[in-house]
Amino acid sequence: MSYNAKSPHAREFINHDEIMATLDWVEKNKHNTEAVNAALDKARLQHGLPYREAALLLAADCGEQLCALAGKIKNDYYGSRIVLFAPLYLSNYCVNGCTYCPYHQSNKSMPRRKLTQDEIRREVIALQDMGHKRLAIEAGEHPLHNTIEYVLESIETIYSINHRNGAIRRVNVNIAATSAENYAKLHNAKIGTYLLFQETYCEDTYKRVHPSGPKADYAYHTEALDRAVQGGIEDVGAGVLFGLADYLYEVIALLMHAEHLEATYGVGPHTISVPRIRRAEGVTAEYEHSIDDDTFIKIVAALRVAAPYTGIIVSTRESEDCRRRALAVGASQISGGSRTGVGEYAESAAATDTQQFSINDERSLDEIVAWLLQNGQIPSFCTACYREGRVGEHFMDLAKSGQIKSRCQPNALITLQEYLSDYASDNTRRIGEKLIENAVNVLDVPKIRSFVQDKIARIKQGERDFRV
C-alpha cells in the first residue's frame, strides 16, 4: 500500500484552538455525573472514544471505573499476552539541541559512539542469547554519521544473524523524521513498525525544548507519520514524552493525531508509547509538568479505552510496580533486559556513559518473563502478524472484529515455549510450562488446541521457526 497525496498540514490535524476548547469543556464537565457516565457507557461498547470524551474520563473522578474497564478491554481484545522487545542503540551522534535528551549537540560530557556492523553483530548476538526476537533500533539525528544508508545496512545485518536457535524476526525503527523517499527505503528493508515520538504536541513548548537542529521544525516532525504511510509503511507508532507540557493537552492531541491517521489512511497508529521524563547525564532542565504514578496509570487506561485496538508500550523507564499497574489497565508491550547505551549489551562496562536515560526496571529478561508468568500473563515473542503480512489495515480489521485474540494467544504460547526451551532458567521454565499446559487446555477451539500442542511438542524436540 502506498499513497501519493501531499502530507496534510500539522496545524490542521493538531488544532490548538480545538484542544483549548476541549480543555475548557472538560473542566466544565468533569464533575457532571451525567456526562461522565455517558462517556463510560460509550467506552463499554469497546469501539473506542473520541478525544473529547477520553479526556473527560481522564480528568473526572472515575479512576477506579476507568481502570477496570481498560483492563477488561485489553483482555477482551488481546487476552493475557504481553509482547516483549528490547531497544538497540546504534549511535548517539546528534545535531539537535533537544533540552531533555543527553544526545543534544552541546553536551560535551557524553562520549560519542557509532556501532560498526561487527559491533552490531555482537550486540544482536547478546540480545539473541537473552531470547529476544524483536528489536527497536534507535539513533540520534546526524546527517553524516547516521545516514539512511547506515540504518538500512544495520537492518540488513540484524536480519542476517542466526545464532544458535536465535534470530531477530522483527526490527522496528525509531529514527528521526525523514522524507517519504527514505520511508519507502525502510519499507523495502522490511521493517516492522516505524516509531516516532512527538515529544510534545504543544507548539510553544515544542519550540522551547527544541531550540536548534532539524528537529526544531514542528510541522516537518508532526507530519512525519503521514510521510511514512505515504512511503508504504503500514504500521506506525506514535507517542508523547510526558512531562514536557500539560498531560491533558498531550493526550487530546495524541488522540487527535490517531484520529487523523485513521480518517486519512483507514488505519490509526499500530502502537502508542507513553515514556516519561527521566534523569539523564548532561540534562539539567526542570519540568513543571512531570506526572506522578497515579496520573500515569490513568493516562494508560484512558488511551486503552480510546484506542482499544492499539498496542500500548511501557518501557523500562518505569519501575516494576508502575509497569505492573500499567499492564493491569491496558499496556500490551514492554521492553525487557533493556540497555540505553550504545554498545551496552555486549560491553556493559564501556557503554554506561552513553545512556540516553536512566532505567528504573533493571531486571533481566528472564526475571521479567518469570514475573509475568507469576502474574498469570503470557510473555509473547510472537511476530507472526508481521511475518504473514497481517499489518496496517489488515491487522486492524482483525483486531476490530475481535479475531486477533484467537491468533495472538496461541502464537504467544508457541513462542513462549521456544523461549523456555532455549533460554529460560530452570525456575522460569517450570512456571512457564505449567502455565502453558493450563492455557492450552482451555483454548476454545479443538483444532487450535491440537495445533498448539503439536507445535509445542515439536519445539521440545528441537524444531524451530513456525513463522511465529
Side-chain angles (χ1 to χ4, degrees):
M1 184 184 300
S2 63
Y3 298 88
N4 297 315
K6 184 179 179 181
S7 294
H9 295 293
R11 294 171 188 86
E12 294 175 358
F13 61 84
I14 305 297
N15 187 308
H16 173 74
D17 290 341
E18 168 60 16
I19 295 172
M20 298 308 294
T22 297
L23 288 170
D24 182 61
W25 179 84
V26 166
E27 181 63 26
K28 291 176 179 176
N29 285 279
K30 65 183 182 182
H31 300 301
N32 182 336
T33 302
E34 184 178 349
V36 172
N37 286 339
L40 285 168
D41 286 342
K42 184 183 286 189
R44 290 187 182 100
L45 299 175
Q46 301 195 5
H47 300 313
L49 278 183
Y51 56 80
R52 183 164 284 209
E53 289 157 298
L56 177 64
L57 294 182
L58 181 53
D61 185 20
C62 62
E64 187 173 336
Q65 292 169 283
L66 173 63
C67 289
L69 177 56
K72 181 179 186 305
I73 290 172
K74 187 272 172 183
N75 189 66
D76 285 349
Y77 276 101
Y78 289 106
S80 57
R81 75 98 169 96
I82 304 298
V83 171
L84 289 162
F85 73 97
L88 172 59
Y89 285 77
L90 301 180
S91 170
N92 62 0
Y93 282 96
C94 194
V95 295
N96 289 314
C98 312
T99 62
Y100 51 83
C101 178
Y103 287 6
H104 64 82
Q105 64 172 349
S106 59
N107 184 3
K108 305 304 180 184
S109 66
M110 173 167 281
R112 302 293 173 168
R113 186 177 182 191
K114 168 186 172 182
L115 297 180
T116 66
Q117 297 306 307
D118 283 342
E119 289 171 330
I120 290 172
R121 289 185 182 90
R122 288 197 288 274
E123 289 286 280
V124 171
I125 287 171
L127 285 158
Q128 289 175 345
D129 280 341
M130 294 182 198
H132 278 295
K133 304 297 184 189
R134 66 168 71 196
L135 304 180
I137 61 173
E138 320 259 355
E141 183 168 10
H142 197 289
L144 298 179
H145 288 288
N146 305 334
T147 63
I148 191 66
E149 289 75 22
Y150 170 68
V151 173
L152 294 171
E153 183 183 10
S154 301
I155 293 168
E156 183 178 8
T157 294
I158 293 167
Y159 276 140
S160 73
I161 300 167
N162 289 286
H163 171 67
R164 298 178 181 169
N165 284 331
I168 301 302
R169 297 170 176 171
R170 180 177 178 125
V171 177
N172 298 333
V173 175
N174 183 0
I175 62 169
T178 187
S179 65
E181 178 184 9
N182 283 342
Y183 287 127
K185 293 177 181 178
L186 290 171
H187 170 65
N188 292 335
K190 301 187 184 307
I191 71 166
T193 304
Y194 172 69
L195 306 156
L196 186 69
F197 303 160
Q198 180 62 24
E199 318 299 6
T200 175
Y201 284 96
C202 180
E203 189 168 0
D204 287 345
T205 302
Y206 187 96
K207 290 176 178 178
R208 186 174 71 252
V209 300
H210 300 104
S212 63
K215 194 170 180 177
D217 188 334
Y218 174 86
Y220 188 78
H221 188 85
T222 310
E223 294 159 9
L225 295 185
D226 286 271
R227 294 193 300 277
V229 178
Q230 292 165 15
I233 297 175
E234 297 186 66
D235 287 349
V236 296
V240 166
L241 182 56
F242 285 100
L244 297 180
D246 175 69
Y247 72 89
L248 270 174
Y249 187 106
E250 302 286 29
V251 169
I252 293 165
L254 177 59
L255 292 175
M256 274 186 170
H257 201 169
E259 289 178 19
H260 157 71
L261 293 171
E262 176 85 31
T264 307
Y265 306 107
V267 58
H270 186 71
T271 59
I272 291 175
S273 296
V274 289
R276 280 194 284 180
I277 284 286
R278 289 298 181 202
R279 298 186 315 278
E281 185 68 28
V283 174
T284 59
E286 297 292 331
Y287 298 99
E288 61 180 302
H289 295 290
S290 296
I291 56 175
D292 60 24
D293 284 0
D294 289 344
T295 302
F296 178 78
I297 295 304
K298 280 192 74 177
I299 289 171
V300 174
L303 291 172
R304 172 53 65 206
V305 302
Y309 328 111
T310 300
I312 297 179
I313 301 174
V314 177
S315 77
T316 50
R317 288 174 183 259
E318 304 303 331
S319 68
E320 173 183 342
D321 181 65
C322 190
R323 298 221 288 176
R324 175 190 58 77
R325 294 176 64 192
L327 290 171
V329 301
S332 56
Q333 298 189 25
I334 61 172
S335 48
S338 301
R339 299 292 179 266
T340 66
V342 181
E344 199 168 3
Y345 292 107
E347 310 166 26
S348 57
T352 53
D353 53 0
T354 67
Q355 288 183 336
Q356 189 186 37
F357 59 85
S358 60
I359 289 174
N360 274 341
D361 189 345
E362 296 184 335
R363 292 173 296 169
S364 69
L365 179 61
D366 189 75
E367 289 172 319
I368 287 175
V369 169
W371 170 69
L372 291 172
L373 291 167
Q374 288 164 344
N375 289 330
Q377 291 155 326
I378 303 173
S380 175
F381 299 86
C382 176
T383 59
C385 286
Y386 161 72
R387 288 153 68 87
E388 296 294 338
R390 295 192 293 267
V391 297
E393 195 169 358
H394 186 189
F395 175 87
M396 286 300 174
D397 285 345
L398 290 171
K400 291 176 181 179
S401 66
Q403 297 180 61
I404 202 68
K405 179 179 178 179
S406 65
R407 298 168 188 261
C408 286
Q409 202 94 333
N411 285 337
L413 293 170
I414 293 169
T415 57
L416 173 60
Q417 184 62 61
E418 284 187 334
Y419 174 83
L420 296 176
S421 294
D422 292 342
Y423 306 105
S425 64
D426 290 342
N427 180 60
T428 300
R429 186 178 301 111
R430 282 193 296 271
I431 300 170
E433 291 191 341
K434 183 63 175 177
L435 181 143
I436 288 174
E437 180 182 358
N438 292 337
V440 171
N441 286 338
V442 297
L443 287 173
D444 293 337
V445 181
K447 185 176 180 180
I448 293 177
R449 184 164 61 248
S450 177
F451 173 84
V452 174
Q453 289 170 333
D454 175 64
K455 297 304 182 190
I456 287 173
R458 290 164 62 186
I459 289 168
K460 290 181 176 180
Q461 293 170 3
E463 293 190 35
R464 294 296 179 274
D465 192 2
F466 301 99
R467 300 203 61 77
V468 290

